[in-house]
């Protein structure tokens, strides 16, 4: 019998010398060319970025200065209207009249005037829109206002949407039209300009005005008294933002895509030839980069116009206007200069394309020259290679002849000399090889005899898990009749076990082969958890109680198995062995001992009576104390009903634990409303665990009744809720919901407590298992809850993650009538 495995050597794919020479010449020629192209493109890109970035910065700065000057000039022009003598006299007159009116009467007066204004009372509307103060506004708006040194620009007049004057109470004094509100004391522009009577200019942010269906900006100026001491009113002018800024912003274009636009620090567009006014830039990072209170340029991650390519953007703030807007609304104004990256870098990309074309032509020329040179070098080398192959096979008959006049000719002479020496050296090797072969055969036969004499089954596998050898004990135990019938087959064809055992053995085999790859092949043994090397035929170490056992069941017998490795021949990988020891009788004896221990531990379960009686007993004591202080008879009766309910539940618990077989007629199985029992259990759990910091959320669906003992069912629900309330420690949310789905009644109780560690989750239903401190719980609540739920055909599942709370899902089969009704609907 041969226990060796011969691994077929796969020839490695080699690259020809001619190809290497051509590739070397290409590398020498192409690498400097590629580096030059990349460096040129990179340097050109950097220079274009620097030049265009500086240009964009300069354009943004000059445009920002011009727009800033327009805004400050407009504030200056409007301020002349705020100093009109007639306007100041009228507002001072109104101030004096308001000084004698109490605050309550003034509020009533303003409300009546507002109602008249909203009703378009001509006696109020006409003086405010056509009176003497209104005529001053109309002359100013129409360009006929007498101020030769400060004429109102045409653009400002056409962009004006509203021009109004208010007194110090915020009431409307004059307006160009009636499409405005009457009271403005709560408006941000009025409060900002009036400034508690001190007065300061106000320039508001870009907002959408539904009355004009336009994005507008508001400019408000205080109207000071004749002594310039106190603000007595506010002058408001509302501009269409697009129409006001477009003549100065939209006309600045360069190239096909280059332009400037005006934005605020929120990213809102005030004027742009491409984007609509009011659009907000979608990239917060871009807004942060282009809105500092300094000029500059930046390579931004997007272009602000919907593109995601990196773009060069120049920016500059409007210093004077931003100072006013920052004090008014917290926003600042900035110029934004941009040009498409595709258009910006088009020249250098065009140059790069042409250089690449010339580079490809150079590569083609290098390939042709390299092929010619390589042919002259490779031909004599191929002759040497063919001669070396003949020498290796012992078939070289004539000496190698080369006349190149260089090192290759010297190499041919050395190979001829080596051939003569090898022919003399191999003359006596045949007899030595035959002798070694006989020794190897003897060792193989003796090894097979030793393995067949061992009483335990032994299986030898290769690195792929295929069977190579089975000793005589293994053939008898596993029912193998023909020698060599399973050689080359997978281990699963020999060991007929379940799928999980097959997967476990395959995993252990993979772990063992991974651990032995690369080692020298020292024989050893291993278990599924460690690669510990030892003699596989030595007696196994004692396995104490609780130690992990590697066992499999084959042909109604139980075997303890152990892996080991065997050193392979030179050039071969180590092999893997599997030793099986029959422990069937030992396992049966151990099962009998375990069963005896289980029967002995049943007596301990009586300790659970104290745990289950504790919760209802606490409720009875608490309700008894409440009855002593309660004077309402109705409330006392309600407390008494609850005490009776707790007493019945304690009686049911005692019967369950003592095994009494006779059930009173009042506690026979009956139709039970699960939602009602959940509510009873919730009240009992809250009474036993009071806490104001826990929020309870319930979501009960209509459910069919089930046949059960209501006291037992309520006890199971209360145990689960008590655990949830105690886990949250006075803070959190308890969610209780019910559903009827696919013929199953689903009850979900979820808390927001600290959760159960994964290692403890599988033990949550074990008797006396608890993670609470000494004296806080006996570990029987969930055990009894599961027993009651399964008693009525239900199932209970726990899901929990540390820090994520715990979810308890209870499933009951719905009655057949309810299932039929659900399917019909």
């Amino acid at each position: 019998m041969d226990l060796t495995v011969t691994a077929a050597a796969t020839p490695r794919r080699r690259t020809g010398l001619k190809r290497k020479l051509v590739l070397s010449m290409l590398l020498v020629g192409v690498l400097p060319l590629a580096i030059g192209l990349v460096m040129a493109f990179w340097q050109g890109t950097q220079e274009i970025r620097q030049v265009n970035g500086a240009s964009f910065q300069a354009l943004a700065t000059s445009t920002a200065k011009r727009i800033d000057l327009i805004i400050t000039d407009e504030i200056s022009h409007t301020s002349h209207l705020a100093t009109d003598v007639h306007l100041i006299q009228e507002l001072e007159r109104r101030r004096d009249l308001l000084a004698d009116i109490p605050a309550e009467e003034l509020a009533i007066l303003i409300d009546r005037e507002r109602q008249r204004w909203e009703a378009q009372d001509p006696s109020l509307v006409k003086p405010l829109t056509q009176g003497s103060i209104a005529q001053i506004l109309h002359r100013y708006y129409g360009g006929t206002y007498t101020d030769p040194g400060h004429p109102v620009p045409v653009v400002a007049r056409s962009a004006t949407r509203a021009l109004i004057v208010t007194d110090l109470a915020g009431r409307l004094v004059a307006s160009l039209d009636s499409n405005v509100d009457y009271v403005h004391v709560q408006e941000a522009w009025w409060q900002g300009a009036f400034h508690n009577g001190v007065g300061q200019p106000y320039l508001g942010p870009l907002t959408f005005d539904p009355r004009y269906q336009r994005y507008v900006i508001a400019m408000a100026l205080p109207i000071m008294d004749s002594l310039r001491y106190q603000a007595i009113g506010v002058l408001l002018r509302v501009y269409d933002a697009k129409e006001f800024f477009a003549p100065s912003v939209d006309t600045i274009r360069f190239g096909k895509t280059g332009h400037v636009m005006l934005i605020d620090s929120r990213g809102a567009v005030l004027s742009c030839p491409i984007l609509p006014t009011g659009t907000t830039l979608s990239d917060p990072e871009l807004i942060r980069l282009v809105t500092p209170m300094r000029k500059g340029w930046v390579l931004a991650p997007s272009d602000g116009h919907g593109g995601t390519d990196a773009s060069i953007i120049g920016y500059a703030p409007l210093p004077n206007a931003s100072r006013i807007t920052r004090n008014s609304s917290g926003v600042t104004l900035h110029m934004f200069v941009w040009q498409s990256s595709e258009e910006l870098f088009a020249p250098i990309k065009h140059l790069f394309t042409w250089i690449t074309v010339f580079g490809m032509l150079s590569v083609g020329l290098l390939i042709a020259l390299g092929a010619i040179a390589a042919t002259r070098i490779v031909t004599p080398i191929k002759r040497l290679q063919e001669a070396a192959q003949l020498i290796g096979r012992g078939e070289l008959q004539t000496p190698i002849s080369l006349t190149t006049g260089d090192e290759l000719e010297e190499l041919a002479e050395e190979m001829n000399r080596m051939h003569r020496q090898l022919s003399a050296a191999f003359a006596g090797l045949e007899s030595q090889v035959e002798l070694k072969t006989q020794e190897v055969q003897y060792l193989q036969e003796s090894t097979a005899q030793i393995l067949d004499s061992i009483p335990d089954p032994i299986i030898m596998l290769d690195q792929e898990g295929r069977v190579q050898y089975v000793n005589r004990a293994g053939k008898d135990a596993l029912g193998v009749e023909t020698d060599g019938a399973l050689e080359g087959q997978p281990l699963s064809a020999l060991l007929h076990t379940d799928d999980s055992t097959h997967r476990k053995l395959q995993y252990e085999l993979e772990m063992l082969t991974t651990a032995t790859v690369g080692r020298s092949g020292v024989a050893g043994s291993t278990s599924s958890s460690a690669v510990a090397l030892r003699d596989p035929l030595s007696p196994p170490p004692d396995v104490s109680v609780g130690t992990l056992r590697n066992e499999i069941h084959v042909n109604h017998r139980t075997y303890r198995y152990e892996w080991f490795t065997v050193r392979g021949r030179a050039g071969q990988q180590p092999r893997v062995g599997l030793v099986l020891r029959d422990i069937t009788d030992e396992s049966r004896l151990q099962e009998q001992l375990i069963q005896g221990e289980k029967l002995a531990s049943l007596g301990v379960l009586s300790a659970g009576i104290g745990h289950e009686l504790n919760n209802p007993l606490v409720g009875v004591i608490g309700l008894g104390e409440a009855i002593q202080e309660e004077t309402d008879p109705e409330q006392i009766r309600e407390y008494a009903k609850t005490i009776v309910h707790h007493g019945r539940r304690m009686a049911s618990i005692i019967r369950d634990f003592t095994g009494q077989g006779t059930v009173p007629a009042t506690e026979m199985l009956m139709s039970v409303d699960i939602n009602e029992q959940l509510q009873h259990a919730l009240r009992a759990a809250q009474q036993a665990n009071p806490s104001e910091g826990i929020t309870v959320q319930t979501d009960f669906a209509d459910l069919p009744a089930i046949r059960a003992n209501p006291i037992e069912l309520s006890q199971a629900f209360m145990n689960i809720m008590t655990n949830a309330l105690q886990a949250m420690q006075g803070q959190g949310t308890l969610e209780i919901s019910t559903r009827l789905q696919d013929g199953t009644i689903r009850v979900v109780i979820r808390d927001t407590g600290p959760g159960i560690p994964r290692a403890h989750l599988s033990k949550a239903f074990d008797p006396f298992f608890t993670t609470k401190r000494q004296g806080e719980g006996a570990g029987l609540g969930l055990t009894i809850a599961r027993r009651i739920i399964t008693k009525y055909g239900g199932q209970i599942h726990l899901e929990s993650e540390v820090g994520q709370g715990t979810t308890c899902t209870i499933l009951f089969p719905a009655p057949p009538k309810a299932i039929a009704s659900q399917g019909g609907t």
Side-chain angles (χ1 to χ4, degrees):
M1 180 204 61
D2 188 4
L3 297 179
T4 63
V5 179
T6 302
T10 302
R12 188 181 62 179
R13 184 182 180 91
R14 293 183 174 90
T15 303
L17 180 59
K18 183 176 181 180
R19 182 179 299 177
K20 288 183 177 180
L21 291 173
V22 174
L23 290 176
S24 299
M25 296 182 69
L26 283 176
L27 185 63
V28 171
V30 173
L31 186 59
L33 177 62
I35 293 176
L37 288 176
V38 173
M39 292 299 296
F41 183 75
W42 180 82
Q43 184 65 27
T45 302
Q46 294 299 317
E47 291 181 358
I48 286 181
R49 287 178 179 175
Q50 294 291 336
V51 172
N52 285 278
S55 300
F56 288 177
Q57 175 184 332
L59 180 58
T61 303
S62 61
T63 308
K65 289 181 179 179
R66 183 166 60 177
I67 300 301
D68 199 30
L69 182 60
I70 291 174
I71 294 175
T72 54
D73 285 349
E74 186 62 22
I75 293 175
S76 177
H77 294 155
T78 308
S79 65
H80 285 81
L81 177 61
T83 59
D84 184 87
V85 176
H86 300 289
L87 182 60
I88 293 174
Q89 290 176 353
E90 175 62 19
L91 292 177
E92 287 181 336
R93 185 184 67 81
R94 285 174 170 257
R95 178 196 61 187
D96 297 339
L97 291 176
L98 292 177
D100 299 331
I101 301 177
E104 294 80 1
E105 296 180 5
L106 179 60
I108 296 173
L109 175 63
I110 293 175
D111 185 62
R112 291 175 180 174
E113 292 176 347
R114 178 185 59 78
Q115 295 177 3
R116 292 172 56 199
W117 175 262
E118 292 176 353
Q120 294 295 300
D121 185 351
S123 62
L124 180 61
V125 173
K126 185 174 181 180
L128 297 184
T129 57
Q130 301 179 15
S132 59
I133 304 302
Q135 292 300 321
I136 295 175
L137 299 183
H138 280 287
R139 289 199 307 274
Y140 179 82
Y141 176 73
T144 60
Y145 183 75
T146 304
D147 189 4
H150 300 85
V152 179
V154 176
V155 173
R157 291 201 301 269
S158 63
T160 300
R161 292 293 173 265
L163 183 61
I164 67 173
V165 177
T166 67
D167 59 12
L168 56 77
R171 298 182 305 170
L172 186 66
V173 175
S175 173
L176 294 179
D177 53 44
S178 61
N179 190 24
V180 296
D181 294 332
Y182 183 76
V183 181
H184 303 275
V185 70
Q186 297 299 328
E187 299 288 346
W189 59 263
W190 192 93
Q191 295 179 356
F194 191 74
H195 199 58
N196 297 324
V198 178
Q200 68 175 12
Y202 175 89
L203 188 60
L206 181 71
T207 57
F208 182 78
D209 194 326
R211 290 174 296 187
Y212 309 113
Q213 293 297 307
R214 293 288 188 275
Y215 281 95
V216 299
I217 57 174
M219 181 179 69
L221 298 175
I223 303 176
M224 308 301 292
D225 59 12
S226 56
L227 298 178
R228 307 295 296 174
Y229 175 74
Q230 181 184 16
I232 56 176
V234 176
L235 173 63
L236 171 69
R237 190 167 188 177
V238 180
Y239 299 90
D240 184 326
K242 178 67 176 177
E243 190 171 347
F244 182 76
F245 293 112
S248 302
V249 175
D250 293 2
T251 56
I252 302 177
R253 302 291 296 269
F254 52 94
K256 294 182 179 179
T257 60
H259 65 280
V260 301
M261 67 178 180
L262 178 63
I263 64 174
D264 62 19
S265 56
R266 303 171 302 175
V269 177
L270 279 71
S271 181
C272 177
I274 297 178
L275 297 177
T277 298
T279 303
T280 300
L281 303 184
S282 59
D283 189 352
E285 178 64 16
L286 174 63
I287 298 173
R288 184 188 66 80
L289 291 174
V290 301
T291 56
M293 289 305 295
R294 55 178 174 78
K295 60 184 178 180
W297 66 274
V298 66
L299 181 61
S302 60
D303 58 16
H305 294 70
T308 57
D309 295 334
S311 302
I312 296 177
I313 297 175
Y315 56 86
L318 279 64
N320 296 324
S322 295
R323 184 169 56 254
I324 298 175
T325 57
R326 186 192 295 112
N327 294 333
S328 301
S329 59
V331 301
T332 53
L333 304 180
H334 303 266
M335 291 307 303
F336 182 108
V337 180
W338 170 82
Q339 186 179 18
S340 169
S341 297
E342 182 177 355
E343 180 182 5
L344 190 63
F345 293 103
I348 193 169
K349 289 182 179 179
H350 185 69
L351 175 62
F352 183 77
T353 301
W354 277 105
I355 295 176
T356 303
V357 171
F358 288 125
M360 297 301 294
L361 294 176
S362 302
V363 171
L365 182 60
L366 284 173
I367 293 175
L369 295 176
I372 295 173
T375 301
R376 297 180 62 85
I377 298 174
V378 170
T379 300
I381 295 178
K382 283 187 175 181
R383 292 183 59 187
L384 291 173
Q385 180 186 13
E386 293 172 356
Q389 292 175 350
L390 292 174
I391 292 174
R393 295 195 298 267
E395 299 175 358
L396 183 63
Q397 302 298 330
T398 59
I400 306 170
S401 178
L402 287 180
T403 57
T404 58
D406 54 16
E407 288 81 359
L408 293 178
E409 183 176 350
E410 295 179 0
L411 179 59
E413 294 176 356
E414 293 295 331
M415 291 181 66
N416 288 329
R417 186 181 300 108
M418 179 186 66
H419 173 60
R420 291 191 296 269
Q421 295 175 353
L422 288 176
S423 298
F426 283 118
L429 286 179
E430 293 182 0
S431 60
Q432 296 181 13
V433 171
E434 183 178 358
L435 180 60
K436 294 297 181 183
T437 302
Q438 294 176 356
E439 293 178 357
V440 170
Q441 291 177 352
Y442 169 75
L443 290 176
Q444 290 177 348
E445 292 175 358
S446 61
T447 301
Q449 293 175 0
I450 293 173
L451 292 178
D452 283 340
S453 65
I454 297 175
D456 294 327
I458 298 178
I459 304 171
M460 300 300 299
L461 308 171
D462 61 11
Q463 291 285 330
E464 302 298 328
R466 293 187 295 266
V467 177
Q468 290 185 323
Y469 167 76
V470 182
N471 70 344
R472 183 179 295 108
K475 294 175 182 178
D476 296 340
L478 302 176
V480 179
E481 299 178 356
T482 305
D483 291 342
L486 292 176
E487 292 186 7
Q489 298 296 322
L491 182 61
S492 58
L494 183 62
L495 298 180
H496 301 289
T497 60
D498 55 273
D499 293 340
S500 62
T501 303
H502 280 312
R503 288 193 296 270
K504 181 174 181 290
L505 292 174
Q506 185 65 30
Y507 171 76
E508 293 174 356
L509 177 60
E510 292 175 357
M511 294 294 293
L512 180 60
T513 54
T514 302
T516 57
V517 168
R519 299 192 310 179
S520 61
V522 178
S525 63
T526 183
S527 66
S528 61
S529 60
V531 186
L533 302 180
R534 67 177 185 85
D535 183 3
L537 304 181
S538 63
D542 293 337
V543 181
S544 60
V545 178
T547 303
L548 177 61
R549 292 192 173 192
N550 300 320
E551 298 178 358
I552 58 175
H553 301 277
V554 181
N555 297 337
H556 307 290
R557 305 293 294 178
T558 302
Y559 295 91
R560 182 182 303 151
Y561 66 89
E562 192 168 1
W563 297 98
F564 63 92
T565 58
V566 177
R567 181 185 313 198
R569 293 181 181 178
Q572 296 182 358
Q573 294 181 344
R575 290 174 294 165
V576 179
L578 181 64
V579 178
L580 305 177
R581 292 185 174 87
D582 192 342
I583 59 169
T584 305
D585 297 336
E586 177 185 345
S587 298
R588 291 174 180 172
L589 179 60
Q590 185 175 5
E591 290 177 0
Q592 293 175 0
L593 293 175
I594 294 174
Q595 186 65 25
E597 292 178 0
K598 290 182 178 179
L599 293 175
S601 64
L602 289 178
V604 184
L605 192 61
S606 59
I609 297 178
H611 174 274
E612 288 304 308
L613 292 180
N614 182 63
N615 289 335
L617 188 58
V618 170
V620 169
I621 295 173
L623 292 172
E625 294 175 350
I627 289 176
Q628 294 176 0
E629 301 177 358
E630 184 63 52
T631 58
D632 184 3
E634 185 64 29
Q635 187 63 42
I636 293 175
R637 282 194 297 272
E638 185 66 25
Y639 288 160
K641 290 180 181 179
T642 306
I643 291 175
V644 172
H645 176 75
H646 284 318
R648 290 176 178 176
R649 186 169 62 203
M650 287 188 287
S652 176
I653 292 171
I654 294 173
R655 282 195 304 272
D656 288 342
F657 275 100
T658 57
Q660 294 181 6
T662 304
V663 181
T666 57
E667 293 196 21
M668 295 291 289
L669 295 182
M670 62 183 65
S671 295
V672 176
D673 185 346
I674 291 180
N675 291 337
E676 181 180 351
Q677 297 307 315
L678 284 169
Q679 292 172 348
H680 289 167
L682 177 60
R683 287 195 297 269
Q686 288 178 323
Q687 291 171 359
N689 302 274
S691 177
E692 297 181 356
I694 295 180
T695 302
V696 179
Q697 299 179 358
T698 59
D699 182 11
F700 295 151
D702 292 336
L703 301 178
I706 66 171
R707 299 286 294 175
N709 186 323
I711 296 178
E712 288 185 342
L713 205 59
S714 177
Q715 177 66 34
F717 292 153
M718 179 181 173
N719 288 357
I720 298 172
M721 295 179 189
T722 299
N723 280 0
L725 292 174
Q726 292 176 351
M728 289 186 286
Q729 298 181 353
Q731 292 292 333
T733 301
L734 178 64
E735 301 177 5
I736 307 173
S737 62
T738 59
R739 290 290 184 274
L740 176 61
Q741 182 178 3
D742 298 331
T744 302
I745 298 174
R746 179 183 295 269
V747 179
V748 178
I749 302 174
R750 181 181 294 107
D751 65 66
T752 59
I756 303 174
R758 186 177 299 274
H760 295 165
L761 195 59
S762 60
K763 305 177 182 178
F765 295 104
D766 293 350
F768 306 109
F769 177 80
T770 180
T771 58
K772 300 174 184 177
R773 294 190 299 267
Q774 182 70 26
E776 293 185 357
L780 291 172
L782 289 179
T783 304
I784 296 175
R786 183 173 67 173
R787 181 183 60 80
I788 295 173
I789 291 170
T790 55
K791 176 180 178 180
Y792 298 113
Q795 301 178 11
I796 180 170
H797 305 282
L798 279 182
E799 297 178 2
S800 182
E801 291 288 344
V802 176
Q804 302 295 324
T806 303
T807 301
C808 180
T809 303
I810 305 170
L811 305 176
F812 289 105
K817 293 184 179 179
I819 298 176
S821 175
Q822 186 183 25
T825 57

